[in-house]
Amino acid sequence: MRIRNSPSRRKFLGGAIGAACTALLSGCDALSKTQWFPKILDTAEHLNRTAQGLITSRKSMAQEFTEADLSPEFRSNGTDYPDAPEYRAHAEAEFANWALRVDGLVNRPSDFSLAQLRAMRSRTQITRHDCVEGWSAIGKWTGVPLSEVLAAVQPHPQARYVVFYCADTMDDGARYYESVDLDDAYHPQTILAYGLNGKPLPIANGAPLRVRIERQLGYKMAKYIMRIELVDTFRTIADGGGGYWEDRGYEWYAGI
Ligand SMILES: Nc1nc2c(c(=O)[nH]1)N[C@H]1C(S)=C(S)[C@@H](COP(=O)(O)O)O[C@H]1N2
Ligand SMILES: [Mo]
């Protein structure tokens, strides 16, 4: 089930824009002002608009809403209560003994308790969640910006992706996991959320911690996060796809 991103678009973006953007870290906006770059885009006319959108929007903010826009209920999708005994023990103790492990390509591999995460700078945002299964919901999320956690662990310069490992196992026995690049990881609206609609994050929505990556589709927003790893490639992930659903054919870059 591929949506929005056709394989050809992915290849095109990966080649032309990916290379250009990494080469010119000064900012991709400048690229659209050069003479040669729009010509590259013209070579794939129907891809032009999506490509332009991607160029100008990687750093832009997702739309934020007001309290009046909140969905009456923020439904749950996928796992609503992980089976893993370790997770269940944490849930029964109201996550008092739970800690987020952050390691990989970092100077200071660390464990963060929920209390420590709550004591860090927090951000609250009302955003719309879009699931590829055809539903959307608006919720108010509170959490610690992922950038704060990354600053604490000091990523190595070669770190390029952030991988989220979850507590739940899907029907086929594989663990849920997800990954994003550092642009999304450092985006101001990317938070590790422990609150939903002014209350502690419910188990059905990923307690004790789930990520919000507001400019991506719902499946990127890993729930029940146990560990975050910084990596330079996906070499370290068994199936190499960068996410549970990606390993089964979904696009890795699910920007909207
Ligand atoms: N660990 C984990 N994270 C997950 C899922 C899941 O099954 N397990 N489902 C994903 C999908 S497809 C969606 S749409 C959202 C659903 O979030 P919600 O349960 O808060 O509605 O979580 C995403 N993150
Ligand atoms: Mo979803």
Side-chain angles (χ1 to χ4, degrees):
M1 180 163 77
R2 285 182 186 272
I3 56 142
R4 305 190 71 99
N5 290 322
S6 66
S8 58
R9 175 187 166 204
R10 186 179 194 179
K11 207 168 156 202
F12 170 71
L13 294 173
I17 297 172
C21 290
T22 357
L24 301 174
L25 287 169
S26 52
C28 293
D29 279 347
L31 288 173
S32 59
K33 298 187 186 88
T34 68
Q35 280 192 315
W36 59 271
F37 199 68
K39 281 189 192 126
I40 292 177
L41 294 179
D42 286 343
T43 63
E45 220 239 275
H46 72 287
L47 300 173
N48 195 334
R49 201 171 310 157
T50 43
Q52 289 277 19
L54 188 59
I55 292 166
T56 53
S57 67
R58 281 297 321 253
K59 289 195 163 61
S60 69
M61 301 288 273
Q63 185 179 3
E64 295 197 16
F65 298 81
T66 68
E67 302 263 345
D69 302 313
L70 287 174
S71 301
E73 187 209 355
F74 200 98
R75 60 164 283 183
S76 170
N77 201 42
T79 304
D80 60 9
Y81 192 1
D83 289 332
E86 185 197 357
Y87 178 86
R88 298 216 160 192
H90 282 311
E92 275 154 35
E94 294 184 348
F95 305 105
N97 309 316
W98 171 93
L100 171 71
R101 176 75 185 162
V102 187
D103 59 15
L105 298 174
V106 301
N107 287 338
R108 297 166 168 249
S110 310
D111 297 293
F112 299 88
S113 70
L114 203 47
Q116 284 172 319
L117 294 170
R118 285 177 183 277
M120 296 170 81
R121 179 166 71 85
S122 79
R123 190 179 202 283
T124 295
Q125 59 204 26
I126 300 177
T127 52
R128 196 187 66 212
H129 176 108
D130 297 300
C131 172
V132 297
E133 290 172 26
W135 60 273
S136 298
I138 294 178
K140 181 166 87 168
W141 303 96
T142 300
V144 53
L146 179 55
S147 60
E148 294 283 308
V149 172
L150 294 179
V153 299
Q154 300 174 2
H156 293 171
Q158 69 267 34
R160 293 181 62 208
Y161 304 100
V162 176
V163 188
F164 306 94
Y165 297 99
C166 306
D168 55 319
T169 300
M170 304 298 278
D171 288 344
D172 58 6
R175 279 278 175 117
Y176 203 93
Y177 78 101
E178 257 303 340
S179 60
V180 293
D181 62 21
L182 292 187
D183 278 348
D184 272 324
Y186 283 107
H187 189 278
Q189 290 168 314
T190 296
I191 61 174
L192 296 172
Y194 45 71
L196 173 58
N197 294 338
K199 299 194 184 103
L201 182 66
I203 285 179
N205 302 105
L209 201 68
R210 73 97 52 84
V211 70
R212 298 296 311 170
I213 304 155
E214 299 295 357
R215 301 181 53 262
Q216 298 248 10
L217 292 170
Y219 63 85
K220 299 297 289 185
M221 319 233 183
K223 308 195 282 188
Y224 317 111
I225 299 173
M226 304 298 284
R227 176 180 170 224
I228 294 176
E229 183 189 21
L230 280 95
V231 299
D232 54 355
T233 69
F234 291 128
R235 203 169 50 228
T236 52
I237 300 171
D239 289 330
Y244 173 81
W245 286 114
E246 287 84 337
D247 292 342
R248 287 149 188 83
Y250 283 32
E251 289 294 336
W252 178 77
Y253 185 75
I256 51 177

